[in-house]
Amino acid sequence: MSNDARLIAGNEEHSFPVLSGSVGPDVIDIRKLYAQTGMFTYDPGFTSTASCESALTYIDGDEGVLLHRGFSIEELSENSSFMEVSYLLLNGELPSKAELDDFSRTITRHTMLHEQLATFYRGFRRDAHPMAIMCGVVGALSAFYHDSTDISDPLHRKISSHRLIAKMPTIAAMAYKYSVGQPFVYPDNSLSYTGNFLRMTFGVPAEPYVVNPVVEQALDRIFILHADHEQNASTSTVRLAGSSGANPFACIAAGIACLWGPAHGGANEAALNMLKEIGTPDKIPHYIERAKDKNDPFRLMGFGHRVYKNYDPRATVMQKTVREVLTALKVNDPIFEVALQLEEMALNDPYFIEKKLFPNVDFYSGIILSAIGFPTTMFTVLFALARTVGWVAQWNEMISDPGQKIGRPRQLYTGPTARDYVPLDKR
Ligand code: ACO
């Protein structure tokens, strides 16, 4: 039997090739659909559309599986550092010790920002959301690093990728420092990627900052959990922006803007705010009822996922990490108990069972980040920092593909048809 998919449109039958990946659902190759039938497909929200071919990340949403280049997120988060995972995403293989040292050294050497960028921050109000600052400052990098914006040159792409990964912690920490009115702290190349970020965020010039290894490891793991997630909204935004040939700094700024939304990266901030609003376990049933009420816009933040119809494997790691961090920091956060009980109640409720709504990565991350000392407004910034490696890896994969085209979806037009123009004085 032919492996083609057949479509009957009107009186005609059309055949389309079915392509198989290494694992996961087959796809129907409809690239010739319009030429053959004069019709488009209609798929708002891309619920049934594979927008590209990719060898980076695989998700089996029904089974709750997440693999980067074939390695499970559980193993990577348990055994690797964020630098190792970054190398893996960019290069396809886990690094040897020498390769990792070399990569880490390169990233470390790019952590400083052009000094003039510091003055850029002063244009923002002190109460600006740090994601607003991230969008602006990352976009502005293209005005500072002209020597790595030729996207047709693989070396330029490599340097700009390294710059983005390296400078993101510095930019993020400076956004925080600006909001609290403290001086910017320059990077310290003797520290790890994550230790350096902690120092730039929480250190002050007046005294030495000692990195807490438990916090450093937990945050590094959080970065790993957020490193990449195949064609999610912000990654698709980066790819779409990049498909026109825009420079990588502008593309990543576009990704940051998309990530900011509460249905995506902004959910970790929204989840913690929700848990605080619930406050005590006795209020949980009321909020569960609200989440189920179609007339109430309230949703359980940190619950549900477009792809996972099972427990998000990142949420499992995150829940374990919350316990470790709270114990190590001797923090007794009543919100954690609210989260645990909310999860249990929701997972036993027919509404959530039927709709396959499980905790996602954002449900527990806010509790850890808050225990470490980050204000809620910084949560999505940390997500952006970590996801930058996924964005640049996906962007590089797209640009290196010789068959790459500008992304240009079509539409089902429902507006007025051609009509006569009426001059202003006759309207
Ligand atoms: N609380 C209550 N009901 C929910 C929730 C929720 N968190 N999530 C989905 N539902 C319901 C919807 O109302 C819908 O019900 P219906 O079929 O009766 O209309 C059904 O479940 C399917 O939901 P959709 O919104 O159609 O699913 P979609 O795949 O478009 O949305 C999303 C996924 C945006 C993540 C959604 O689950 C949501 O809004 N969750 C809360 C926000 C959140 O946690 N986002 C983080 C995502 S992970 C990330 O970005 C890292």
Side-chain angles (χ1 to χ4, degrees):
M1 201 171 77
S2 151
N3 197 25
D4 285 359
R6 283 165 216 291
L7 171 77
I8 297 170
N11 295 327
E12 285 181 52
E13 183 175 300
H14 303 272
S15 166
F16 299 95
V18 172
L19 310 178
S20 299
S22 44
V23 61
D26 289 346
V27 301
I28 304 170
D29 178 353
I30 54 157
R31 279 175 287 186
K32 299 237 161 63
L33 179 79
Y34 180 55
Q36 283 186 28
T37 67
M39 286 190 270
F40 299 134
T41 54
Y42 181 62
D43 186 19
F46 307 120
T47 51
S48 296
T49 297
S51 60
C52 63
E53 195 179 312
S54 179
L56 269 115
T57 292
Y58 172 71
I59 304 173
D60 182 334
D62 294 326
E63 296 298 322
V65 170
L66 169 60
L67 308 177
H68 292 315
R69 303 280 195 186
F71 298 103
S72 79
I73 191 66
E74 289 87 350
E75 273 196 293
L76 290 173
S77 59
E78 187 66 34
N79 304 312
S80 286
S81 66
F82 179 66
M83 276 298 94
E84 257 180 283
V85 174
S86 299
Y87 183 97
L88 173 71
L89 285 167
L90 288 169
N91 300 291
E93 295 298 335
L94 284 168
S96 66
K97 171 86 174 66
E99 285 165 336
L100 180 61
D101 287 348
D102 187 48
F103 179 70
S104 303
R105 204 174 309 115
T106 305
I107 296 296
T108 304
R109 294 228 172 103
H110 279 298
T111 48
M112 273 173 59
L113 281 188
H114 190 293
E115 193 59 21
Q116 213 176 320
L117 265 166
T119 58
F120 209 85
Y121 283 77
R122 302 210 169 90
F124 289 96
R125 286 169 52 133
R126 291 274 176 190
D127 62 356
H129 195 290
M131 282 298 277
I133 298 182
M134 295 299 289
C135 291
V137 176
V138 174
L141 292 178
S142 32
F144 285 82
Y145 300 101
H146 301 280
D147 57 342
S148 60
T149 52
D150 178 359
I151 64 159
S152 62
D153 182 337
L155 186 62
H156 276 223
R157 296 205 296 270
K158 192 171 172 177
I159 296 171
S160 61
S161 301
H162 290 164
R163 279 184 167 147
L164 276 157
I165 296 167
K167 293 184 195 309
M168 206 55 91
T170 315
I171 296 170
M174 285 169 74
Y176 171 69
K177 284 297 190 202
Y178 187 72
S179 72
V180 291
Q182 289 182 2
F184 298 138
V185 176
Y186 286 106
D188 177 345
N189 285 359
S190 68
L191 297 174
S192 70
Y193 184 84
T194 303
N196 185 35
F197 173 61
L198 282 166
R199 180 179 162 275
M200 288 190 290
T201 306
F202 298 118
V204 286
E207 55 190 51
Y209 178 81
V210 181
V211 177
N212 179 329
V214 176
V215 171
E216 183 182 17
Q217 199 194 18
L219 191 58
D220 202 71
R221 190 179 292 159
I222 291 175
F223 289 165
I224 293 174
L225 295 179
H226 288 90
D228 191 45
H229 212 226
E230 55 121 296
Q231 308 312 319
N232 57 83
S234 56
T235 302
S236 298
T237 301
V238 170
R239 279 189 179 254
L240 196 56
S243 76
S244 71
N247 74 71
F249 303 107
C251 296
I252 301 306
I256 293 172
C258 178
L259 187 76
W260 192 357
H264 191 10
N268 51 16
E269 184 177 343
L272 190 73
N273 289 339
M274 174 194 75
L275 291 171
K276 282 184 182 157
E277 190 185 314
I278 298 174
T280 49
D282 57 304
K283 308 249 174 54
I284 295 172
H286 169 66
Y287 282 88
I288 297 243
E289 286 315 309
R290 281 191 62 193
K292 288 157 44 175
D293 181 357
K294 285 280 156 243
N295 299 316
D296 188 331
F298 175 78
R299 282 188 166 196
L300 276 196
M301 299 315 284
F303 250 78
H305 197 274
R306 169 61 62 79
V307 182
Y308 292 118
K309 302 302 168 198
N310 200 328
Y311 214 97
D312 179 340
R314 301 168 302 171
T316 317
V317 181
M318 202 64 93
Q319 199 207 64
K320 192 174 139 228
T321 311
V322 181
R323 285 187 199 284
E324 284 168 16
V325 170
L326 294 186
T327 309
L329 297 180
K330 299 191 177 59
V331 172
N332 182 13
D333 189 349
I335 294 300
F336 185 39
E337 192 48 40
V338 173
L340 288 171
Q341 290 198 29
L342 176 61
E343 176 190 330
E344 196 189 333
M345 214 174 278
L347 292 182
N348 286 305
D349 188 293
Y351 173 94
F352 291 88
I353 296 169
E354 265 163 40
K355 296 186 189 304
K356 298 188 177 161
L357 298 169
F358 292 84
N360 60 48
V361 67
D362 292 322
F363 191 64
Y364 286 106
S365 63
I367 300 174
I368 311 179
L369 298 177
S370 177
I372 294 175
F374 291 104
T376 45
T377 51
M378 279 296 286
F379 293 179
T380 315
V381 173
L382 299 174
F383 191 159
L385 186 167
R387 182 56 58 86
T388 295
V389 63
W391 289 331
V392 295
Q394 299 263 358
W395 173 81
N396 271 295
E397 185 180 60
M398 179 187 71
I399 301 291
S400 323
D401 177 355
Q404 183 256 324
K405 280 174 187 280
I406 185 169
R408 178 42 171 106
R410 303 306 298 264
Q411 62 174 5
L412 174 64
Y413 177 69
T414 55
T417 53
R419 48 183 168 158
D420 292 334
Y421 179 81
V422 182
L424 186 59
D425 60 345
K426 302 246 164 48
R427 273 178 243 156

